[in-house]
């Protein structure tokens, strides 16, 4: 018996609902990029170069750690030396008072060294250790010469430091030892750390320059004031403080100009009191002056009696 065929109707396809349009949200970072005055391509290129630069820095650090730059520098120096760029000659200029042998002793350490390896700053620093050298300049004159230019300090005074005679410049820098004969060519200063006051002393004396040629010695007393000794034998005591000392020094110069105080037998002038000056005479002259004064006081009554006698006689004759 044959089965009856059943026919099924195909279900009609369901219509899909239309998708709702979605709004793209822009992140804050994208907004920042859009605000920049660069295109996206330029930003990408900059980022690429930044990465390459960072890699280069890291690579250089690694090479530095393993000594690659130093090796390259050494190789370059050897190549320069083979080409004739090495120290063969040394010229020193301006060294008059400074010990030239010590200068050459320092600079000759660079002889036969390749020019790129010469440390001119270290050479200058070593040369500046000498008191006589105020300034120094070391330069390369290619292909094979080092030139050393020296500026020397000017000696200004001799400093008696606990019995040791040392030459100093105007600012008090110690230049070296001197003999008694050499020290006589310069003004003498004495006292503990008196060299540190050399600039102040120079400024003080220049307030009355007419007296400077007459000064023999300046003594720093008690780390607070000056005593000035003159070639004619007198000593002048000045007060403490720059202004007070300068005023007393100028006042003494004025008095000497009017009354010629120096060379008149006074041994000591004390101007520490701003209101009055004190003088001290030599002992012998003081005793002589006292004797003369005593004789004068004794003779005065005799003169008076003689005068009375003469007057009486004249009166009687009249």
């Amino acid at each position: 018996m044959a089965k009856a065929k059943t026919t099924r109707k195909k279900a009609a396809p369901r219509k899909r609902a239309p998708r709702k349009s979605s709004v793209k949200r822009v992140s804050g970072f994208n907004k920042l990029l859009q605000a920049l005055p660069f295109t996206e391509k330029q930003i990408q290129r900059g980022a690429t170069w930044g990465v390459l630069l960072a890699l280069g820095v890291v690579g250089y650090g690694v090479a530095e750690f393993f000594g690659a730059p130093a090796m390259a520098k050494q190789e370059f120096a050897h190549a320069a030396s083979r080409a004739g760029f090495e120290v063969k000659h040394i010229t020193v200029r301006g060294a008059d008072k400074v010990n030239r042998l010590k200068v050459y002793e320092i600079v000759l350490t660079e002889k036969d060294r390749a020019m790129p390896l010469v440390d001119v700053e270290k050479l200058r620093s070593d040369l500046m250790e000498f008191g006589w050298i105020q300034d120094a300049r070391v330069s390369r004159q290619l292909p094979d010469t080092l030139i050393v230019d020296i500026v020397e300090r000017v000696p200004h005074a001799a400093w008696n430091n606990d019995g040791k005679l040392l030459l100093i410049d105007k600012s008090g820098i110690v230049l070296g030892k001197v003999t008694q004969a050499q020290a006589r060519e310069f003004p003498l200063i004495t006292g503990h750390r008196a060299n540190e006051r050399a600039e102040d002393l120079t400024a003080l004396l220049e307030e009355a320059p007419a007296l400077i040629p007459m000064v023999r010695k300046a003594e720093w007393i008690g780390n607070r004031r000056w005593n000035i000794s003159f070639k004619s034998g007198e000593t002048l005591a000045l007060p403490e403080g720059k202004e007070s000392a300068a005023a007393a020094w100028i006042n003494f110069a004025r008095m000497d100009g009017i009354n010629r105080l120096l060379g008149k037998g006074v041994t000591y002038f004390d101007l520490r009191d701003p209101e009055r000056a004190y003088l001290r005479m030599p002992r012998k002259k003081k005793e002589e002056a006292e004797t003369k004064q005593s004789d004068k006081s004794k003779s005065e009554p005799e003169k008076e009696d003689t005068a009375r006698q003469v007057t009486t006689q004249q009166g009687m004759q009249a």
Side-chain angles (χ1 to χ4, degrees):
M1 185 173 174
K3 292 182 179 180
K5 292 182 180 180
T6 57
T7 57
R8 293 181 180 179
K9 292 182 179 179
K10 293 183 179 181
R14 293 181 180 179
K15 292 183 178 179
R16 295 182 179 179
R19 293 182 179 179
K20 294 180 180 180
S21 59
S22 59
V23 179
K24 291 184 179 181
R25 292 183 179 179
V26 181
S27 65
F29 180 73
N30 288 335
K31 288 181 179 179
L32 178 62
L33 292 178
Q34 291 174 1
L36 293 175
F38 304 105
T39 63
E40 185 177 353
K41 188 175 181 180
Q42 289 175 332
I43 294 173
Q44 289 178 351
R45 186 181 300 171
T48 303
W49 279 108
V51 172
L52 292 176
L53 180 61
L55 292 175
V57 171
V58 173
Y60 178 80
V62 174
E64 183 73 23
F65 179 78
F66 288 103
M71 293 172 60
K73 183 179 179 180
Q74 287 288 340
E75 185 59 33
F76 172 73
H78 291 321
S81 179
R82 289 192 296 269
F85 291 91
E86 66 179 9
V87 180
K88 292 296 182 185
H89 307 287
I90 295 172
T91 301
V92 177
R93 301 186 298 207
D96 183 24
K97 302 289 178 57
V98 69
N99 192 330
R100 295 177 69 92
L101 292 178
K102 290 186 177 181
V103 174
Y104 278 107
E105 184 179 343
I106 291 175
V107 183
L108 282 174
T109 58
E110 304 297 323
K111 199 168 187 312
D112 297 328
R113 180 169 294 184
M115 277 292 184
L117 296 181
V118 176
D119 191 344
V120 294
E121 289 300 323
K122 184 179 184 306
L123 282 176
R124 180 183 181 277
S125 177
D126 292 341
L127 290 170
M128 293 296 290
E129 294 295 326
F130 293 103
W132 272 102
I133 298 178
Q134 182 176 353
D135 196 9
R137 184 168 62 92
V138 182
S139 57
R140 305 179 183 91
Q141 184 175 320
L142 301 178
D144 58 2
T145 303
L146 272 183
I147 297 180
V148 181
D149 290 295
I150 290 175
V151 178
E152 292 183 334
R153 297 184 186 275
V154 179
H156 178 68
W159 173 38
N160 188 336
N161 182 29
D162 294 331
K164 296 179 182 178
L165 288 174
L166 304 172
L167 202 60
I168 63 173
D169 73 345
K170 201 171 184 178
S171 61
I173 300 296
V174 176
L175 307 180
K177 295 180 180 180
V178 288
T179 63
Q180 287 278 359
Q182 292 171 330
R184 291 191 191 100
E185 300 177 10
F186 303 95
L188 180 66
I189 67 171
T190 63
H192 180 60
R193 301 174 68 176
N195 65 312
E196 297 177 6
R197 300 286 178 168
E199 283 186 306
D200 295 339
L201 176 62
T202 300
L204 170 65
L205 296 181
E206 287 177 351
E207 292 288 343
L211 292 177
I212 293 178
M214 307 177 194
V215 174
R216 181 181 63 85
K217 181 179 73 172
E219 184 179 3
W220 183 237
I221 305 293
N223 198 31
R224 47 194 181 84
R225 66 175 193 84
W226 290 102
N227 271 4
I228 308 297
S229 297
F230 297 95
K231 295 176 182 178
S232 49
E234 300 87 352
T235 298
L236 170 64
L238 294 174
E240 300 178 34
K242 293 181 181 180
E243 293 182 0
S244 299
W249 177 245
I250 294 171
N251 188 33
F252 181 80
R254 181 184 59 80
M255 290 190 298
D256 180 68
I258 296 173
N259 302 310
R260 295 297 177 190
L261 302 177
L262 296 177
K264 296 295 185 178
V266 180
T267 60
Y268 190 81
F269 301 94
D270 191 340
L271 298 186
R272 287 177 290 176
D273 188 342
E275 300 298 329
R276 63 183 65 186
Y278 296 90
L279 310 179
R280 184 186 300 166
M281 301 286 291
R283 181 173 296 179
K284 289 184 179 180
K285 291 192 176 183
K286 184 177 180 181
E287 292 175 354
E288 291 175 359
E290 289 176 350
T291 303
K292 288 181 180 180
Q293 183 66 27
S294 176
D295 294 341
K296 184 179 180 181
S297 61
K298 288 179 181 179
S299 62
E300 282 177 354
E302 297 176 358
K303 290 180 180 178
E304 290 176 0
D305 293 340
T306 304
R308 289 195 191 99
Q309 292 175 3
V310 170
T311 305
T312 304
Q313 291 175 357
Q314 289 177 350
M316 293 173 63
Q317 290 175 357

